[in-house]
Amino acid sequence: VLTLVDVFDALTTTRVYRGAMSKEQTLSIMKDMKEKFDPLLFEKFLKFMQDFDVIKEKMFELEEDVKKALKNNIFFIDLFTKTLNRQGLLAMFRKSADYGLYGSLIKLNIKHFKEYNKLYGVKKGDELLKYLAKRVKEEFNALESLEEPKEKLSFLARVVADKFYVLYLGRRGDFLEYKFQKFCESFKEAEIEFEFLLKDKNLSKFKNEIGYLI
């Protein structure tokens, strides 16, 4: 099914190197390459296309900013906490490294999270994850989307179930250490710990190592 719709979408979508093909052109090409598809599915697909006029002369095109937002949500966002995911963090780090920016990378960890779930229940554990993400965004003005990197921006990512990372662009490591110390102490029911993986470093020197750091 995915192979069928992928080829159909590719042929009927405008590309940089060519325009979108009509339904007739697309079906003709797909018939020529029918050995690539499941025979039974392809037969049903052709019947469906004959019965329903699902393609117009001009395919509906999403606005660029909408497409960008959808792509970011699919590939770079942790939909549970609405923060960046691992791929999103890697993308922002490497982009910042390309600009030669300095920055700090801080890991936040909920200690004994399994025990917390057992004691208070999984629902309470989920609420803690969302609450921690919300508090970090508020306290450190951490962004939850891909932005053009520049000094004084910070990005929040959830990489593992109970581990968050903050990428801060700029050289304020000592101040951040003080703020994170106070921040972690403010949590009463759960024990939150932080660790500087990088502190006031030129990120370009760690571009090839970032995958190992997180």
Side-chain angles (χ1 to χ4, degrees):
V1 172
L2 289 175
T3 304
L4 276 168
V5 297
D6 181 51
V7 173
F8 182 79
D9 175 70
L11 294 173
T12 55
T13 303
T14 300
R15 298 299 166 106
V16 176
Y17 50 88
R18 62 157 174 78
M21 295 185 183
S22 66
K23 181 177 80 170
E24 290 70 24
Q25 289 174 302
T26 298
L27 293 180
S28 176
I29 291 172
M30 292 181 73
K31 287 176 183 177
D32 290 339
M33 55 186 293
K34 64 181 180 181
E35 69 279 355
K36 294 183 179 293
F37 309 121
D38 179 282
L40 181 59
L41 284 175
F42 188 53
E43 182 181 336
K44 291 181 178 293
F45 172 78
L46 290 177
K47 185 176 186 308
F48 176 85
M49 294 301 297
Q50 290 166 0
D51 293 343
F52 298 94
D53 183 22
V54 297
I55 287 295
K56 306 298 180 185
E57 281 303 310
K58 184 172 177 57
M59 289 292 291
F60 173 71
E61 290 287 342
L62 292 172
E63 295 293 332
E64 280 304 315
D65 58 340
V66 176
K67 285 196 286 188
K68 182 179 178 182
L70 288 172
K71 180 181 177 183
N72 288 350
N73 283 339
I74 293 169
F75 295 110
F76 301 119
I77 302 298
D78 173 52
L79 297 179
F80 181 69
T81 57
K82 301 297 189 293
T83 67
L84 294 175
N85 59 19
R86 187 174 189 274
Q87 289 303 113
L89 179 61
L90 287 172
M92 286 313 312
F93 189 100
R94 287 170 177 154
K95 188 74 171 177
S96 303
D98 288 340
Y99 286 7
L101 294 175
Y102 280 74
S104 298
L105 182 64
I106 304 100
K107 179 172 73 172
L108 276 170
N109 178 44
I110 304 173
K111 292 184 70 176
H112 317 301
F113 186 59
K114 288 183 179 179
E115 288 76 5
Y116 184 93
N117 275 333
K118 287 181 181 179
L119 183 62
Y120 297 104
V122 174
K123 185 177 179 181
K124 188 79 171 177
D126 288 347
E127 290 174 358
L128 174 62
L129 290 172
K130 292 180 178 179
Y131 178 66
L132 176 57
K134 179 175 179 288
R135 284 283 310 278
V136 173
K137 283 183 271 187
E138 291 172 349
E139 294 281 340
F140 299 93
N141 297 315
L143 300 176
E144 55 190 21
S145 60
L146 302 181
E147 300 283 345
E148 197 67 15
K150 58 184 178 181
E151 290 270 337
K152 297 184 180 179
L153 285 183
S154 58
F155 298 89
L156 173 64
R158 178 182 177 229
V159 174
V160 188
D162 55 349
K163 292 179 177 59
F164 292 82
Y165 290 74
V166 178
L167 172 64
Y168 180 87
L169 302 179
R171 286 184 268 195
R172 300 191 71 193
D174 291 339
F175 173 71
L176 286 174
E177 189 164 4
Y178 169 79
K179 280 205 70 173
F180 272 105
Q181 184 68 48
K182 294 296 183 183
F183 176 79
C184 291
E185 289 173 357
S186 69
F187 283 81
K188 305 302 181 184
E189 290 182 348
E191 187 176 354
I192 313 295
E193 61 180 0
F194 73 97
E195 175 188 0
F196 273 83
L197 302 179
L198 296 174
K199 186 176 179 181
D200 292 349
K201 298 293 185 182
N202 186 327
L203 301 183
S204 63
K205 296 181 179 180
F206 298 90
K207 183 178 178 180
N208 297 325
E209 300 175 26
I210 181 61
Y212 297 103
L213 286 173
I214 62 172

